[in-house]
Amino acid sequence: MKQYVCVSGGADSTALALLLWERGEDFEMVFSDTGAELPETYWLLPRLARQINKPLRVVSNGSFYQHLVEYGYMLPGPRLRWCTRLLKETPLDRWFKEQGAEVVYNGIRADEPRRINYKRKPRCGNHVFVFPLVKAGIGKKDVIKLCGKYDLLNPVYKWRSNVSCFCCFFQKASDWKGLLKHHPTLYALAEEWEKEAIRLTEKGYTWRQGWTLEAMRTMDEQQLKLWPEPEGEPCLICTI
Ligand code: SF4
């Protein structure tokens, strides 16, 4: 049976792969690379593949930057999520269809009632989605424990709330600050793209409406508290 686990470098999908491996399941891992992943993710994924001795397939539909330029620097946002569709869903859908996938394991946890109904049916292909973490009653604590057991918890969690694109518009202020501290060149890159977006788009898109990364860089703690937190979270498919 052709069975796949979508991995993102996040704790949930890592724990899912470990759980299935411990159970002796036969599967391959698939990672959809947006070209804007954090370096820690590229570090973690080969370690995971080595630990469980399973193939890691990497799929892509072009890079974040490529699509950003094609969109005339129209930065993605909660109401304009072209990145999820083009960089995560499209390449994965294509892969599952081409490979004739039968089962796709999904890393939703048992303590995420809001997400449990997500993605019951595939957009294309004939595979079914299966939710082993939900079935096993595995929540956040167990996920962290399982990753820790094999020293496979993405180190990004030391300073960031989730594993997403470095420039994800769903980041909290503390995540952006963490990016500035741990990967200043990536922060500078996101800031540069934002400057181009302000210059080239009629609406003057910014990563967070009404705020710029340039301004944020120089904010003190008090000012930072005024930074609005995101009204949502990175796409599930990006963070499982
Ligand atoms: S992680 Fe964020 S920026 Fe990256 S594809 Fe998902 S929603 Fe878009």
Side-chain angles (χ1 to χ4, degrees):
M1 190 180 282
K2 292 197 168 183
Q3 309 191 102
Y4 294 93
V5 173
C6 293
V7 288
S8 65
D12 298 346
S13 59
T14 302
L16 173 63
L18 289 168
L19 178 78
L20 296 173
W21 167 65
E22 284 187 342
R23 286 179 178 173
E25 294 284 352
D26 185 24
F27 64 91
E28 293 187 0
M29 294 182 291
V30 194
F31 170 60
S32 183
D33 188 350
T34 63
E37 309 288 343
L38 287 156
E40 289 89 341
T41 295
Y42 296 119
W43 174 85
L44 180 98
L45 288 173
R47 281 173 69 97
L48 171 63
R50 215 160 49 235
Q51 172 68 40
I52 66 176
N53 196 23
K54 297 281 184 198
L56 171 67
R57 312 288 177 194
V58 180
V59 297
S60 167
N61 183 35
S63 71
F64 195 105
Y65 184 59
Q66 187 183 349
H67 291 289
L68 182 65
V69 171
E70 274 168 22
Y71 270 101
Y73 281 87
M74 194 170 66
L75 300 178
R79 283 175 204 82
L80 208 69
R81 275 169 86 155
W82 54 257
C83 50
T84 305
R85 181 175 48 82
L86 287 173
L87 298 169
K88 288 288 181 182
E89 292 175 346
T90 300
L92 285 171
D93 284 349
R94 195 185 293 150
W95 172 264
F96 295 140
K97 198 171 176 192
E98 277 169 14
Q99 300 302 310
E102 289 163 80
V103 171
V104 174
Y105 291 109
N106 187 298
I108 293 178
R109 301 188 311 263
D111 58 358
E112 299 181 290
R114 204 170 47 79
R115 285 175 153 179
I116 285 176
N117 288 327
Y118 176 80
K119 259 187 142 221
R120 292 281 169 195
K121 289 185 188 149
R123 279 173 298 272
C124 64
N126 293 314
H127 52 281
V128 290
F129 288 106
V130 178
F131 305 85
L133 298 180
V134 175
K135 207 169 172 201
I138 292 180
K140 193 169 184 174
K141 260 190 184 168
D142 304 314
V143 154
I144 304 288
K145 206 167 143 193
L146 189 51
C147 294
K149 183 174 162 187
Y150 297 99
D151 195 18
L152 283 170
L153 186 63
N154 195 321
V156 97
Y157 289 113
K158 288 181 188 151
W159 56 271
R160 194 177 169 98
S161 55
N162 58 48
V163 176
S164 58
C165 297
F166 73 86
C167 52
C168 185
F169 47 87
F170 282 122
Q171 282 175 82
K172 298 174 177 172
S174 54
D175 294 333
W176 281 114
K177 276 288 183 190
L179 186 70
L180 179 60
K181 184 173 174 200
H182 295 274
H183 296 299
T185 50
L186 292 180
Y187 189 97
L189 184 53
E191 192 179 315
E192 203 53 42
W193 290 352
E194 186 178 64
K195 280 182 186 156
E196 280 302 89
I198 293 168
R199 188 175 72 87
L200 295 173
T201 60
E202 209 175 303
K203 283 193 174 172
Y205 285 99
T206 52
W207 293 111
R208 185 62 51 77
Q209 205 178 358
W211 299 73
T212 65
L213 292 191
E214 185 179 19
M216 186 196 206
R217 193 160 35 83
T218 54
M219 279 177 192
D220 61 30
E221 287 304 313
Q222 287 308 314
Q223 289 171 306
L224 258 189
K225 284 184 188 153
L226 300 174
W227 179 274
E229 291 300 5
E231 291 168 20
E233 49 196 323
C235 27
L236 176 63
I237 207 160
C238 306
T239 57
I240 51 173

